[in-house]
Amino acid sequence: MGHLIEFRDVYKIYQMGTEAVHALDGVSLAIDQGEFVAIVGQSGSGKSTAMNIIGCLDVPTSGSYHLEGIDVSTLDDDQQAVIRNKLLGFVFQQYNLIPKLNVLENVELPLLYAGLPAGERRQRAVQALERVSLADKIRNLPSQLSGGQQQRVSIARALAGHPSVILADEPTGALDSHTGREVLGFLQKLNAEGDTVVLITHDNSIAVRAKRIVRLQDGRVIYDGDASDPRAVVQPADSGAGADAGEVRI
Amino acid sequence: MNFSQAFKLAVKSLRTSKMRAFLTMLGIVIGVAAVIVIISLGHGMEGMMNQQFDKLGANLIQVRIYGAGDGSTRTVSPEDLYALAKKYPQYISGVSPYVISQTKVRFNGEDYQHTSIYGVSEILFNSDKGHTIDGESLREGRFLQYIDVSRHQNVCVVGTFLADQVLGGDALGKTLSIGGVPYTVIGVLNKSADSAEGSQDDQLYIPYSNAIRINAAAAADKAAAAGITGGTGGTYSVDGYLVTSTDRNTAAAAKGLIENRLFRTFQDTDAYFVVTASEMMDSMNAMVGTMMVVLVAIAAISLLVGGIGIMNIMLVSVTERTREIGIRKSLGAKRRDIRSQFIIEAGTTSAIGGLLGILLGILLASAAGMAIGGYMSAQMGGGTFNAVPTPAAIGVSFGVSVGIGILFGYLPANKAAKLNPIDALRYE
C-alpha cells in the first residue's frame, strides 16, 4: 500500500483482424499523492490507452491497476462509474461540457451522480467555480463562453467532486497558445494547492510544465523521471513519425 | 440522479425541439383523445338510458306469458295477479294486463294496417305521475278508467298519427272502427317519435277485455274459414302484464313472487318470462359497455402506434446524444442513471401527449355532445345527453399514456445505458 496510482505489468491488446495490437506492452508505473505527471508520447504510443485505464474507462487485458489500493481491473461497469465519480476528475481536450446545461449545472453533474443534496451540490459547485475565477458566469451556457473559459469550467467540474486525481487529456489542444498557458497555469496552481494532476499530451513544451514526465513509445515506458532532465524530452529517432511541432531535440 | 432533475432535463430537451416533440406526441394525443371521446359519448348514452329507465319507473316489471305450449288451457288470469298484488301490497303496487291485438283500424273506408293495438287496463296510467307505466303522457282527453275496462266500453286512446294524420287533429269524440266495431276516441297521447305511420306514435289503447274478445273473434273467423266447425279457437287470455313494484328495491322480490305464482300454474319455466326494469337496464348497459370496450380497443391501436413513434424518436435521440452520454458516464453516471434519464424523458413526452389528448378529447366530446345531443334526445324521447368523461377514464388514460412512454422508452434507454464510455466520448 502506498501509491495512489499503480500499474503492474499492464498489457492492453486489441485484436485487429488477425493481428494483435499491443497498445500497452507491459507498463509498470507508480504515481503518488501530490505529483504532477505528464504522460507523453506520439499518437499510437499508447498514451490514450493509458489514460483510459487510469480514468477507469477501460480495463487492462492483463496485469493490474490499483487506484488508492483498489484493484480496478476487476470492477464492473457501475463500480467503475462510482470510482470515476469519487476519485477522478476529467479535463478533456474538447471541454466536453453539456451544451443544454448552464455552467453551474455542468459543474454540479458529478455531484448529482454522487447523490449529494441540492444545497451542498450548489455550494461545492460555486466553490469550484471560484477556484477557476468563473463564479460570475454560473448562469451562462457553455456556448456563451470563450474556449479558455469553457476549459476552466471543465476544470471546475473536475474539481467539484474533490477527486484524488485530476486527469487532463490534451487540455490545451483546442486552445491558442496564450489561453493554453493560462489553463496550464491553473493546473500548476491546483497541484501547488495539493491536488494530484496527471496530464496526457503529445507536446513536449506542455509536458515540461509538469514535475515528472513518463514517456511512452509503442506501448512501453521509455523514460520516467524528472521533467527538468534533458533526457525527458528526447524523442528517439527510430520512432519514424517525425518531430512534433513543440518538440525539443538535443 | 433524482427524478426532478431528470424531469427538468426532459422538459428542457423537449423545449429545444418543439416541433419534433409535438410530432412525437401526436400519436399519443390522437389515441388518448379518441379514447376520451368514445368513453364520454358512451357515458352520455348510458346516462341518457338510465334517465329513460328512471322515467319509466325503475320499479317496472314486464311479464310475458307464452303458455305451456302443450295444448293445455291452463293460464293465469288477470284476477290471479290482482289477488297476488292484494296479498303482497308491500311488494306489488300495480298490475296491468296487456293484450296485443292482431286486427286493424279502419276509418273513412281506409285500413291502417301498421297501427299497434294494445289492450290494457286503467292501471297502465298512473294519474299521480301523469304518465303511463312505460312513460307516455296525455295530450288531451283522458285515459281508460276502471269502468271502461269492467264494462267492456268501446273507447280508445290514440297516438298522434291517428289523431293528427288520420282524424285531422280534433280527434276527441270521433269514431274509429277496430275489428269492425266502432270505438270512440277519449284521449290522445303526446308525441313520442315522429308521428309517422308505423312509428311509436301509430298506436292505440283499448280495454284489454275488449282486445281479448277481438282476438277470440278473429281466431274463430279463421277457424271457420279453414272449415273447422265447433271450435271456439281456444281460451283467449292476455299476452302479458305490466307490473309495478312498490319501489326499485322491491322489484327483485316482486319478480320472485310473480315467478312463483306463474310456476304454480304452468309447472314450466319456459311458459313465461319475467324481467325487471333494472335487469333490462343492466343488459342495455352491458351492451353499451361491450360496444365501448370494442371501440376503445380500436382507439388503443393509435396509442400503440404513438408508443412506437416515441421509441423511434428516442432511438434517434440516443444516437444524437451519444457524446453527452459519454460525458455523463465519465463523470460517474451509472447505467441506471442514464437509463432512468431517457425513460423519464420518454415518459414525460407521452405524459404531456396524454394531457393534451385528454383536453382535446374533452373538447371534442362536448362538441359532439352538443351536436348530437338534441338528436339523441329526440330519438329516445327526452332526457339530456351529457358527453363528459368519467374521472376514472381520465385517470386511466393518463396512466396508460405515461405507461406507454415508459414501456417504449425502455429499449432506447437501455441502449443508451449500455454504451461504452470511451466510444461514446469519441463519438462525433
Side-chain angles (χ1 to χ4, degrees):
Chain A
M1 177 70 224
H3 302 300
L4 178 60
I5 290 172
E6 189 173 9
F7 274 40
R8 278 187 217 142
D9 204 23
V10 168
Y11 285 81
K12 182 72 192 183
I13 300 164
Y14 295 105
Q15 201 67 38
M16 305 285 266
T18 54
E19 206 180 335
V21 177
H22 291 233
L24 290 181
D25 201 13
V27 172
S28 292
L29 182 67
I31 297 172
D32 287 317
Q33 170 68 40
E35 283 199 84
F36 187 174
V37 181
I39 296 177
V40 205
Q42 291 174 313
S43 65
S45 62
K47 65 180 191 301
S48 293
T49 308
M51 123 114 203
N52 286 341
I53 291 176
I54 295 173
C56 290
L57 295 165
D58 206 350
V59 289
T61 310
S62 73
S64 73
Y65 166 42
H66 288 77
L67 179 62
E68 283 202 340
I70 304 163
D71 187 357
V72 177
S73 19
T74 61
L75 300 183
D76 70 17
D77 270 17
D78 282 354
Q79 289 167 322
Q80 287 183 17
V82 172
I83 298 283
R84 288 196 292 271
N85 186 252
K86 305 271 185 230
L87 303 182
L88 293 157
F90 289 91
V91 178
F92 297 100
Q93 179 174 8
Q94 297 296 339
Y95 331 130
N96 278 350
L97 300 175
I98 294 176
K100 279 183 304 221
L101 304 182
N102 68 29
V103 165
L104 184 68
E105 289 166 333
N106 264 293
V107 176
E108 278 187 354
L109 264 186
L111 308 174
L112 191 66
Y113 291 124
L116 292 186
E120 199 181 340
R121 278 204 310 260
R122 197 192 145 92
Q123 191 199 340
R124 278 170 67 170
V126 170
Q127 264 173 16
L129 282 163
E130 277 166 356
R131 278 182 85 181
V132 298
S133 317
L134 279 175
D136 56 331
K137 303 273 190 213
I138 60 172
R139 296 282 166 220
N140 289 48
L141 288 176
S143 56
Q144 296 166 321
L145 301 180
S146 71
Q149 286 172 325
Q150 291 190 51
Q151 193 58 298
R152 274 148 64 193
V153 173
S154 86
I155 293 172
R157 183 178 63 187
L159 288 172
H162 298 332
S164 305
V165 183
I166 292 181
L167 198 54
D169 182 16
E170 302 277 14
T172 62
L175 301 172
D176 61 66
S177 59
H178 172 75
T179 325
R181 273 198 297 280
E182 202 179 274
V183 166
L184 274 177
F186 266 110
L187 292 176
Q188 285 178 311
K189 187 180 134 213
L190 296 180
N191 178 245
E193 288 165 6
D195 284 302
T196 309
V197 180
V198 176
L199 177 69
I200 285 95
T201 183
H202 68 281
D203 188 341
N204 277 327
S205 68
I206 287 169
V208 294
R209 304 286 290 271
K211 291 176 181 164
R212 174 183 161 196
I213 287 180
V214 175
R215 180 172 294 278
L216 290 178
Q217 189 182 352
D218 298 331
R220 295 204 175 96
V221 178
I222 58 166
Y223 176 83
D224 182 356
D226 202 289
S228 55
D229 188 323
R231 283 175 298 158
V233 291
V234 173
Q235 181 62 44
D238 63 348
S239 72
D244 280 319
E247 207 158 274
V248 180
R249 282 175 176 274
I250 45 167
Chain B
M1 175 101 115
N2 60 19
F3 177 79
S4 76
Q5 282 288 332
F7 180 74
K8 267 194 243 166
L9 208 69
V11 171
K12 207 175 254 184
S13 71
L14 291 181
R15 270 196 186 158
T16 49
S17 46
K18 292 193 188 75
M19 190 63 184
R20 182 203 270 196
F22 174 71
L23 291 175
T24 308
M25 285 171 193
L26 202 56
I28 300 286
V29 172
I30 291 171
V32 169
V35 169
I36 293 285
V37 168
I38 290 163
I39 290 177
S40 300
L41 293 182
H43 188 223
M45 191 140 136
E46 223 172 72
M48 195 167 196
M49 277 171 13
N50 290 352
Q51 283 175 27
Q52 283 287 308
F53 275 104
D54 275 345
K55 195 175 133 203
L56 298 190
N59 57 344
L60 180 67
I61 301 164
Q62 296 192 32
V63 181
R64 184 101 180 121
I65 309 281
Y66 304 114
D70 55 359
S72 82
T73 56
R74 270 182 306 196
T75 190
V76 176
S77 71
E79 284 70 28
D80 294 333
L81 282 191
Y82 292 154
L84 190 71
K86 211 169 235 170
K87 198 168 160 195
Y88 298 104
Q90 67 271 43
Y91 296 121
I92 300 172
S93 61
V95 175
S96 170
Y98 71 87
V99 181
I100 299 164
S101 176
Q102 277 95 33
T103 189
K104 52 198 172 194
V105 176
R106 201 177 166 86
F107 181 74
N108 257 353
E110 207 154 335
D111 283 337
Y112 297 95
Q113 316 230 16
H114 299 288
T115 307
S116 309
I117 302 167
Y118 300 109
V120 297
S121 85
E122 77 286 356
I123 298 182
L124 188 78
F125 189 78
N126 185 328
S127 47
D128 293 338
K129 288 186 180 172
H131 59 74
T132 61
I133 289 175
D134 55 357
E136 283 164 325
S137 53
L138 281 173
R139 189 175 79 188
E140 51 192 329
R142 63 172 179 84
F143 201 76
L144 304 175
Q145 287 172 353
Y146 175 72
I147 195 96
D148 301 322
V149 179
S150 58
R151 299 232 175 134
H152 306 270
Q153 302 274 23
N154 293 341
V155 291
C156 63
V157 175
V158 299
T160 50
F161 167 71
L162 289 176
D164 298 342
Q165 317 283 326
V166 178
L167 299 174
D170 191 18
L172 288 185
K174 289 194 175 162
T175 307
L176 290 164
S177 159
I178 302 168
V181 179
Y183 278 75
T184 309
V185 176
I186 54 165
V188 178
L189 297 168
N190 268 320
K191 186 168 121 167
S192 60
D194 57 0
S195 268
E197 183 166 12
S199 78
Q200 227 184 316
D201 289 319
D202 186 5
Q203 62 170 349
L204 62 78
Y205 290 121
I206 56 175
Y208 76 90
S209 44
N210 297 36
I212 291 175
R213 281 188 182 173
I214 290 170
N215 282 358
D221 285 351
K222 217 184 242 172
I228 304 164
T229 50
T232 59
T235 306
Y236 282 85
S237 185
V238 298
D239 292 297
Y241 298 89
L242 290 173
V243 180
T244 51
S245 62
T246 45
D247 63 47
R248 78 163 61 205
N249 299 322
T250 54
K255 178 187 169 180
L257 288 171
I258 295 162
E259 280 180 331
N260 280 345
R261 176 65 192 83
L262 295 175
F263 189 77
R264 215 166 71 216
T265 299
F266 292 109
Q267 300 294 318
D268 178 3
T269 51
D270 290 335
Y272 52 86
F273 179 66
V274 184
V275 61
T276 65
S278 66
E279 282 170 346
M280 276 165 63
M281 193 156 76
D282 288 349
S283 69
M284 288 283 274
N285 283 349
M287 235 169 67
V288 171
T290 311
M291 207 170 75
M292 262 161 67
V293 166
V294 171
L295 289 174
V296 165
I298 293 168
I301 293 172
S302 167
L303 285 177
L304 185 76
V305 174
I308 293 168
I310 287 179
M311 176 150 73
N312 186 27
I313 217 71
M314 289 307 292
L315 284 169
V316 171
S317 172
V318 167
T319 307
E320 283 176 349
R321 287 155 67 187
T322 301
R323 199 181 172 86
E324 177 190 325
I325 294 162
I327 296 168
R328 288 175 180 276
K329 286 202 150 191
S330 76
L331 297 177
K334 299 189 193 78
R335 287 186 175 197
R336 169 161 42 91
D337 297 319
I338 302 290
R339 193 185 299 128
S340 60
Q341 180 189 336
F342 281 91
I343 286 177
I344 288 170
E345 194 167 317
T348 306
T349 308
S350 62
I352 294 172
L355 286 177
L356 290 177
I358 288 167
L359 284 179
L360 182 68
I362 291 172
L363 282 177
L364 286 178
S366 65
M370 273 190 263
I372 64 172
Y375 172 77
M376 296 282 289
S377 181
Q379 277 295 302
M380 298 190 52
T384 51
F385 186 75
N386 222 350
V388 289
T390 56
I394 291 175
V396 168
S397 30
F398 182 71
V400 165
S401 51
V402 174
I404 280 177
I406 290 170
L407 188 72
F408 286 92
Y410 185 83
L411 182 86
N414 211 32
K415 191 185 160 199
K418 281 185 180 160
L419 282 177
N420 177 334
I422 300 172
D423 296 339
L425 274 170
R426 261 193 229 128
Y427 188 85
E428 293 298 330

